[in-house]
């Protein structure tokens, strides 16, 4: 398979895990948080700023002001936009290197020839999955956290791409992980991607 | 596989063909237009009325008025709603009989335990596919026709389910047929459904 695969995902759906396993199965690199530090190196911006702006739009601009002086030459657009542009450049550079799996960060809209996956699952399933991975919260707390992360991802996607997050037509393959689990999604994705290699399934 | 599979589709995406081949591969019945005549038998309503109201909402109610006298006892809700209800009953009855593939008609929202597929493709691909199947129109005419049919399906879905047509979270598996063709969608769908059977893929 000679294409970059992007994975967008609802929080708690296991989409990142699908991405990791897909990269393993295809024998290609996987990128997620690594993108952030690579982009940080690229722009020589402090990691703290990156983490703060990563995949959500910040309304409070106190950090922008703090960084204002340090970047006075390039500070013509908001810091969050600069970080998005820096990440986009890193994503394009990674894609130019060869096939890989990239999770999140609007990579589906930044790249032109990628195969784009969206992984999601019903709220109840996601709450149960996350509580199993990170016990300690109540169901209500976890649901609130999931809604908050999803809202940020949605706003971020809408802001930078002008498209609706989760609209199937934005992606090539959308998979509900609740019904078949991470491994089921992997099987379906491998079958779909296999067609692109002209491989017999 | 012990589940009903529903297939929603953009016009020209080949979604119906995916449904037909899926039913063949699974060895289960396929239902599309047949639903209409079954529902017609069910309510003893003329086929003409059914065809007219099938999968779109009619604003001009001249036909309602024509049928008004014939159904005066049951005419408490608009004809299109009656037909939707009759079709819904047929869909539930078919599902109760055993696994089958049902295309369109909001079957995904009518049934509770179905596995729901959505098939779509970029406009350019759909225009090319339909022009190959039915030559004679210009690309412009075909695109207009596709947009019109899709708009009707979208409105119908929105009206009867309150949900957004094409929103991935409404379905379990959404497939862009433009990239991998009907057979590619079939392979991915069989892999996804195979997990539900506990079959090795």
């Amino acid at each position: 398979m000679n294409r970059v695969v992007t994975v967008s995902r609802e929080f708690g759906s296991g989409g990142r895990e699908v991405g990791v396993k897909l990269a393993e199965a295809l024998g290609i690199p996987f990128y997620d948080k690594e993108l952030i530090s690579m982009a940080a190196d690229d722009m020589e911006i402090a990691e703290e700023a990156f983490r703060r702006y990563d995949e959500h739009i910040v309304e409070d601009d106190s950090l922008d002001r703090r960084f204002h002086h340090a970047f006075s030459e390039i500070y013509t657009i908001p810091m969050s936009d600069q970080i998005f542009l820096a990440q986009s450049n890193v994503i394009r550079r990674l894609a130019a290197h060869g096939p890989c799996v990239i999770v999140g960060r609007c990579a589906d809209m930044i790249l032109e020839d990628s195969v784009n996956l969206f992984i999601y699952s019903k709220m109840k399933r996601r709450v149960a999955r996350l509580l199993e991975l990170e016990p300690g919260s109540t169901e209500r707390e976890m649901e609130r956290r999931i809604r908050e992360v999803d809202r940020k991802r949605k706003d971020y996607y809408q802001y930078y791409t002008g498209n609706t997050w989760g609209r199937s037509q934005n992606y090539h393959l959308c998979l509900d992980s609740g019904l078949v689990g991470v491994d089921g999604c992997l099987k379906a994705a491998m079958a779909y991607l296999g067609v692109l290699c002209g491989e017999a399934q």
Side-chain angles (χ1 to χ4, degrees), chain A:
Chain A
M1 231 263 312
N2 203 26
R3 311 275 285 259
V4 173
V5 179
T6 75
V7 181
S8 306
R9 72 292 180 220
E10 282 186 344
F11 185 57
S13 67
R16 190 183 179 280
E17 206 181 326
V18 173
V20 171
K21 292 196 170 187
L22 203 53
E24 275 174 18
L26 294 168
I28 58 179
F30 170 83
Y31 298 105
D32 180 10
K33 298 277 174 195
E34 290 82 7
L35 273 178
I36 303 167
S37 45
M38 289 179 68
D41 287 345
D42 201 49
M43 279 184 73
E44 294 177 353
I45 291 178
E47 284 256 354
E48 184 207 347
F50 259 97
R51 270 197 302 276
R52 189 169 147 88
Y53 285 94
D54 180 46
E55 236 181 342
H56 66 274
I57 304 152
V58 180
E59 279 165 32
D60 164 8
D61 68 346
S62 60
L63 199 70
D64 289 73
R65 283 196 298 272
R66 258 207 285 151
F67 278 83
H68 183 95
H69 294 294
F71 300 97
S72 50
E73 321 87 12
I74 55 163
Y75 195 76
T76 50
I77 48 173
M79 175 63 89
S80 50
D81 291 357
Q82 287 186 43
I83 293 188
F84 177 77
L85 290 172
Q87 288 195 348
S88 303
N89 286 335
V90 174
I91 287 170
R92 279 192 207 95
R93 210 179 301 162
L94 291 171
H97 264 251
C100 59
V101 175
I102 303 175
V103 168
R105 283 142 200 92
C106 305
D108 55 313
M109 287 291 159
I110 291 162
L111 300 175
E112 282 183 9
D113 291 320
S114 54
V115 184
N116 307 319
L117 272 54
F118 182 61
I119 315 288
Y120 50 95
S121 178
K122 295 222 184 309
M123 178 57 76
K124 214 174 154 183
R125 298 249 190 187
R126 291 192 279 151
V127 168
R129 187 176 171 276
L130 288 179
L131 284 177
E132 214 177 281
L133 292 172
E134 305 169 29
S137 306
T138 65
E139 286 188 5
R140 205 186 167 89
E141 284 165 353
M142 191 54 91
E143 180 169 339
R144 197 181 304 134
R145 194 175 141 211
I146 289 174
R147 289 199 190 280
E148 198 188 333
V149 176
D150 275 359
R151 190 186 51 75
K152 283 178 182 169
R153 287 183 182 170
K154 190 179 173 179
D155 290 350
Y156 181 87
Y157 191 86
Q158 170 77 36
Y159 180 79
Y160 285 113
T161 73
N163 279 305
T164 307
W165 190 65
R167 181 179 173 265
S168 24
Q169 292 94 332
N170 295 349
Y171 314 93
H172 294 102
L173 180 64
C174 308
L175 297 149
D176 183 334
S177 61
L179 199 58
V180 297
V182 164
D183 289 339
C185 291
L186 182 69
K187 280 179 186 165
M190 287 298 286
Y192 189 90
L193 295 171
V195 178
L196 298 176
C197 317
E199 287 170 11
Q201 288 298 306

